[in-house]
Amino acid sequence: MAVMTYAQAGCLALRQEMERDQRVWALGEDVGPDGGVAGQYLGLRERFGPGRIVDTPISESMIMAAAIGSSLLGMRPVAELRYADFALCAADEIINQAAKARYMLGGQVQVPIVIRQPMGMRWGMAAQHSQSLENLWVGTPGLVVVATATPADNHGLLKAAIRADDPVVFLEHKELWLETGEVDEGAGPLAIGQAAVRRSGADITLVSWSSTANACVAAAAQLAGEGIDAEVIDLRTLWPWDRDTVFASVRRTGRVLVAHESTRVGGFGGEVLAEIAEALFGQLKAPPRRLGSPRIPVPYSKPLEDLCRVGPDRIAAAAAALCRGGAAPGMPELAPG
């Protein structure tokens, strides 16, 4: 196994897919000589040339429109949108065109696009560069939504996304770019829609994705010191999501906490808990709970930004309270809603 960063793992996956399939190409701002904001395209322009690694003007709607047109003609584009926040500039192309073209045309066309969206908070990038918008994309029929937490998953799931025949919103957390981990360079694509059990446990199920899944693993280590055995499930794919793995875990533990970085209000955690409650209500030992960020713009100030974070300490405190039968502490309320 090679050890590499999360960004390098994504770059490797794209290079391997471009070598395997001549139809794969990438476009976006600064993906050429600069290699992307985190080096996730580094060296690909030199390897494949400007015809397959295409630098574009600052226009997310144009990037998506070009990618959609290309996919309808049989190509497999990877569209880099720089930050997840900027994808909102291309919302019409993503939501009204890419997500619906296959359905609207009776299955006569496919739209095999990967829409890479670096997401989440990263050390004071403030309200327009720190959002986690997965709930928007999960709520859009026609889109597959992937959110990776480790270098190995970034490698295997980007391969899977490129080979998928439907548009895939591929969420990569900005704070993970420099995280390192083992990657099997010869591994093939991972299965979309299959969660990973990051840690087995018997007392409570922690469900999460992206960087917060790593925070749950750290929280589980803290809980072990308190005699609480937590199971951690990293969904990895938010749509379709792996109900079988989550339900099987909750049936065994009887307790569940969902944690994510996006806002608690309207967040995808509410949907996960609703389905768990509908299916397993009589088997729960405690009310299901969720942790998410307050419903406020993410502040630039680091102390205030930290209040929005769902880190290991908060996850461990909420999980311990659930296991002990007390009220689970939530996130600080910074604003109504």
Side-chain angles (χ1 to χ4, degrees), residues 216-250:
C216 285
V217 173
Q222 293 184 30
L223 290 165
E226 302 175 33
I228 296 172
D229 191 17
E231 181 151 299
V232 178
I233 296 177
D234 179 354
L235 286 184
R236 304 196 294 189
T237 304
L238 305 187
W239 200 267
W241 66 282
D242 187 353
R243 293 167 179 78
D244 291 344
T245 296
V246 173
F247 287 4
S249 176
V250 176

Side-chain angles (χ1 to χ4, degrees), residues 281-303:
F281 185 78
Q283 301 175 53
L284 296 175
K285 300 173 184 174
R289 292 299 304 266
R290 59 191 155 130
L291 285 178
S293 292
R295 187 176 178 274
I296 62 168
V298 177
Y300 170 79
S301 158
K302 185 175 186 308

Side-chain angles (χ1 to χ4, degrees), residues 64 81 87 90-99 115 117 137 143:
M64 282 307 308
L81 295 184
D92 178 63
E93 286 77 10
I94 297 172
I95 295 173
N96 288 329
Q97 308 304 331
I115 309 166
Q117 298 184 24
W137 309 120
L143 296 178

